[in-house]
């Protein structure tokens, strides 16, 4: 069985709403605390936490989505699949993501009404890597019932898949 990690966003913590949503379905979920860290510090901690592991499924929200994608670019051999939730790939750091898993092994979910991470930037990011974008009628937090069910389904798909 793969290991499952949740990487929280810039202004949230490791045990917020998305963590609790996922933890209820996936009790083995781990969520490192990246509060107060910049991206380089987060990358160093994520590298350390995942060192020596393989077959990981990373769920990253906003800045945590950027972190998960960057970690994949650096250590693709560790990671089985990614689920990126409103990933903050609209920044210069988003350009430093050099590769993503094949489209069967990545899910990107973004809200049409997101005012934090521009929708068109995530569309461009997905096109750059040839991965599909799952769009929901929601804002950045992806807190609607529909968004939450979409998140759970996406994680279930890649977590249980035999790639």
């Amino acid at each position: 069985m793969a290991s499952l990690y949740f990487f929280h966003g810039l202004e949230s913590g490791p045990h917020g709403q998305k963590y609790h949503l996922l933890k209820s379905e996936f009790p083995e979920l781990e969520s490192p605390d990246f509060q107060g860290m910049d991206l380089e510090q987060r990358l160093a901690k994520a590298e350390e936490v995942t060192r020596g592991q393989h077959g990981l499924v990373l769920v990253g929200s906003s800045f945590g989505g950027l972190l998960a994608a960057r970690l994949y670019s650096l250590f693709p051999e560790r990671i089985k699949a990614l689920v990126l939730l409103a990933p903050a790939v609209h920044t210069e750091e988003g350009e430093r993501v050099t590769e993503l898993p094949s489209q069967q092994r990545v899910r990107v979910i973004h809200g049409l009404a997101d005012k934090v991470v521009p929708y068109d930037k995530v569309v461009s990011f997905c096109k750059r890597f040839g991965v599909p974008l799952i769009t929901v009628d929601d804002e950045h937090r992806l807190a609607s019932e529909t968004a939450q069910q979409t998140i759970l389904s996406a994680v279930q798909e890649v977590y249980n898949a035999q790639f």
Side-chain angles (χ1 to χ4, degrees):
M1 179 62 65
S3 292
L4 182 63
Y5 285 92
F6 175 70
F7 292 171
H8 65 82
L10 189 60
E11 296 185 8
S12 62
H15 301 119
Q17 182 180 12
K18 289 181 195 81
Y19 166 82
H20 287 289
L21 171 73
L22 293 168
K23 189 78 170 174
S24 68
E25 295 288 322
F26 306 95
E28 66 278 20
L29 180 70
E30 295 182 49
S31 185
D33 187 349
F34 298 111
Q35 293 178 94
M37 297 180 185
D38 65 22
L39 187 62
E40 290 307 313
Q41 292 167 320
R42 287 175 180 230
L43 268 172
K45 182 169 183 173
E47 187 282 322
E48 183 182 323
V49 166
T50 63
R51 190 177 298 146
Q53 297 183 55
H54 298 282
L56 301 176
V57 175
L58 305 181
V59 181
S61 179
S62 193
F63 203 62
L66 173 62
L67 172 62
R70 289 275 284 121
L71 192 68
Y72 181 85
S73 292
L74 296 169
F75 306 101
E77 69 281 357
R78 295 182 188 179
I79 300 165
K80 170 182 158 180
L82 297 174
V83 179
L84 308 178
L85 310 174
V89 295
H90 62 298
T91 63
E92 201 174 290
E93 283 297 331
E95 295 299 315
R96 296 182 66 192
V97 175
T98 56
E99 64 178 305
L100 286 181
S102 65
Q103 64 178 354
Q104 295 83 10
R105 299 188 302 129
V106 65
R107 301 289 182 274
V108 181
I109 302 170
H110 202 77
L112 279 170
D114 192 327
K115 291 178 177 48
V116 177
V117 176
Y119 178 78
D120 62 325
K121 299 289 188 185
V122 177
V123 169
S124 297
F125 178 81
C126 289
K127 283 184 179 170
R128 180 160 60 113
F129 295 104
V131 298
L133 175 60
I134 302 165
T135 302
V136 291
D137 188 15
D138 203 349
E139 297 178 3
H140 186 68
R141 293 192 60 218
L142 300 174
S144 71
E145 181 68 29
T146 302
Q148 293 195 350
Q149 288 308 312
T150 303
I151 291 166
L152 286 174
S153 294
V155 174
Q156 195 82 43
E157 282 175 19
V158 298
Y159 190 59
N160 293 325
Q162 298 298 315
F163 297 117

